[in-house]
């Protein structure tokens, strides 16, 4: 509804309002505050705690892992590298601690080749979340979930006094000697007035991938989909029905048969095995998730006619 003045002319609404000054409660004072709970934030918080610093990690969602869990990325790239013609795991340290924990939860696959040249390691996102919680808890890192970093109060042009966070309890302030920006987008650095560049300075940024999940996939048959999907994308583009910024697909196995994901640029396929512990309710049949018959003899998948790995 458009507000009108008495004259009948539309009333121009102001483009901004003034927020009254207010006192912000202090959530806490730390030696180190990390903004963002993705892989960078997890590593920064653990490293800080290992150095004996009282550390707080602030994350807007209710779980850790960043895009690795929130966006369904579901595999680690970059842990391995081609060293003089041989693939080697070159990233260790805190990454190994995290991967070991995911593995202990039966949520980690063996490395697999994607796009014919990169070794990637797929994981179950639920296992990643739990393993990351466990890693931070083991190092006594405080975590503030569901808290959106929203700005800073500066001491002076170069030193942060406090980080402002929006929480269900309202706006709060957090003080620290050191703030580490692991927001993935450089939010904290930008709020302080630090100089930054976006994309390639020509207006282009990384193209997005569409993430989706597929269940009940035969991994053997799907194994070569990273070759056939691009060919189908080429065909679709040639026929004029679609246009893709990149014609590639990454297909990778998941530990959990019921949790699989894919996209035109990135796709995943369930590994042929019983449903992973983490993905089914406790007290359900491991194969068909039948809650009533945990050791079900009526389980379709246990019957002789069931196709192995289907
Ligand atoms: C679609 C897609 C596919 C990808 N595919 C792969 C792949 O196959 N393999 C691979 O290894 N990498 C992949 N990547 C890249 C990988 O996800 C990133 O390199 C990695 O997530 C970067 O980690 P990070 O911790 O720096 O940031 P992020 O993972 O982005 O984590 C940032 C965290 O900070 C939080 N946050 C941000 N702003 C605020 C705020 N203001 N207040 C509170 N919290 C905040 C976010 O919620 C998030 O949890 C992919 C990325 C995308 C988006």
């Amino acid at each position: 509804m458009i507000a009108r003045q008495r004259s009948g002319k539309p009333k121009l609404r102001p483009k901004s309002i003034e927020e009254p000054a207010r006192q912000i409660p202090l959530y806490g004072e730390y030696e180190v505050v990390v903004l963002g709970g993705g892989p960078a934030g997890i590593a920064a918080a653990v490293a800080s705690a290992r150095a004996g610093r009282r550390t707080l990690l602030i994350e807007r969602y209710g779980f850790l892992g960043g895009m690795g869990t929130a966006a369904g990325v579901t595999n680690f790239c970059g842990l391995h590298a081609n060293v003089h013609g041989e693939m080697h795991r070159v990233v260790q340290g805190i990454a190994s601690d995290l991967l070991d924990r995911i593995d202990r939860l039966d949520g980690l696959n063996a490395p697999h080749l994607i796009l014919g040249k990169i070794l990637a390691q797929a994981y179950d996102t639920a296992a990643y979340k739990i393993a990351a919680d466990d890693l931070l808890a083991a190092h006594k890192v405080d975590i503030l979930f569901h808290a959106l970093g929203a700005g800073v109060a500066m001491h002076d042009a170069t030193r942060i006094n406090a980080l402002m966070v929006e929480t269900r309890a309202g706006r709060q302030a957090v003080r620290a000697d050191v703030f580490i920006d692991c927001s993935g987008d450089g939010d904290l650095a930008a709020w302080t007035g630090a100089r930054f560049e976006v994309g390639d300075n020509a207006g282009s940024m990384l193209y997005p991938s569409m993430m989706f999940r597929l269940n009940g996939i035969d991994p053997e048959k799907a194994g070569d989909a990273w070759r056939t999907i691009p060919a189908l994308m080429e065909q679709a583009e040639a026929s004029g029905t679609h246009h893709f910024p990149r014609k590639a697909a990454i297909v990778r196995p998941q530990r959990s048969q019921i949790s699989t994901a894919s996209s035109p640029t990135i796709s995943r396929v369930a590994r042929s095995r019983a449903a992973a512990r983490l993905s089914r309710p406790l007290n359900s049949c491991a194969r068909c998730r039948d809650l009533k018959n945990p050791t079900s003899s009526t389980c379709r998948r246990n019957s002789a006619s069931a196709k192995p790995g289907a």
Side-chain angles (χ1 to χ4, degrees):
M1 197 171 82
I2 298 172
R4 296 195 175 266
Q5 286 175 329
R6 280 201 186 134
S7 65
K9 287 184 185 160
K11 192 173 162 185
L12 292 177
R13 292 194 186 281
K15 294 272 195 262
S16 63
I17 61 161
E18 191 174 317
E19 186 179 15
R22 55 180 163 152
Q23 292 294 307
I24 306 295
L26 191 60
Y27 175 82
E29 293 189 72
Y30 287 81
E31 290 178 285
V32 176
V33 162
V34 177
L35 181 67
I42 293 167
V46 170
S48 164
R50 278 187 185 166
R53 305 295 170 201
R54 194 166 166 259
T55 307
L56 172 72
L57 183 145
I58 297 171
E59 167 57 48
R60 69 178 156 191
Y61 297 133
F63 50 85
L64 298 169
M67 296 307 99
T69 52
V73 166
T74 69
N75 83 170
F76 297 113
C77 285
L79 299 177
H80 299 80
N82 187 327
V83 183
H84 305 303
E86 278 185 18
M87 296 304 269
H88 287 282
R89 172 88 182 271
V90 292
V91 177
Q92 300 285 347
I94 294 169
S96 295
D97 291 346
L98 181 63
L99 264 69
D100 287 350
R101 282 179 158 81
I102 299 175
D103 199 22
R104 285 205 289 275
L105 292 163
D106 196 20
L108 192 66
N109 266 352
H112 66 285
L113 209 58
I114 57 173
L115 303 175
K117 57 183 177 187
I118 303 166
L119 263 193
Q121 209 157 357
Y123 52 81
D124 181 302
T125 48
Y128 185 170
K129 290 175 185 176
I130 294 167
D133 280 354
D134 186 42
L135 182 62
L136 263 61
H139 287 84
K140 301 195 168 26
V141 173
D142 285 354
I143 305 177
L144 182 59
F145 278 140
H146 299 295
L148 178 72
V152 289
M154 301 291 286
H155 272 302
D156 52 43
T158 56
R159 283 189 311 139
I160 300 169
N161 177 13
L163 171 65
M164 303 299 167
V165 287
E166 298 291 350
T167 72
R168 291 301 299 272
R171 178 174 276 232
Q172 307 200 50
V174 181
R175 279 214 176 104
D177 301 332
V178 174
F179 291 89
I180 305 180
D181 186 347
C182 296
S183 67
D185 292 324
D187 282 6
L188 176 53
W191 294 325
T192 65
R195 288 174 54 201
F196 61 87
E197 295 172 0
V198 176
D200 63 357
N201 265 344
S204 301
M205 295 175 71
L206 181 71
Y207 34 57
S209 296
M210 186 171 74
M211 315 298 295
F212 61 92
R213 294 175 176 219
L214 294 174
N215 294 342
I217 300 292
D218 180 338
E220 296 302 319
K221 287 186 183 160
D224 258 359
W226 69 272
R227 287 183 217 274
T228 50
I229 291 171
L232 292 169
M233 293 168 94
E234 292 280 2
Q235 276 177 29
E237 212 168 75
S239 70
T241 56
H242 294 80
H243 173 70
F244 304 103
R246 177 171 69 165
K247 288 173 276 300
I250 298 172
V251 181
R252 51 207 170 207
Q254 296 282 278
R255 296 296 285 181
S256 160
Q257 195 172 37
I258 49 171
S259 171
T260 62
S262 66
S263 81
T265 54
I266 297 177
S267 66
R268 291 164 208 157
V269 177
R271 191 181 146 130
S272 171
R273 50 171 288 138
R277 264 180 297 159
L278 290 163
S279 305
R280 67 183 173 86
L282 298 175
N283 196 32
S284 69
C285 169
R287 306 206 77 191
C288 68
R289 295 168 58 81
D290 185 343
L291 281 167
K292 290 185 194 142
N293 297 293
T295 53
S296 178
S297 58
T298 60
C299 169
R300 274 189 307 114
R301 292 181 185 280
N302 281 339
S303 73
S305 60
K307 192 176 158 205

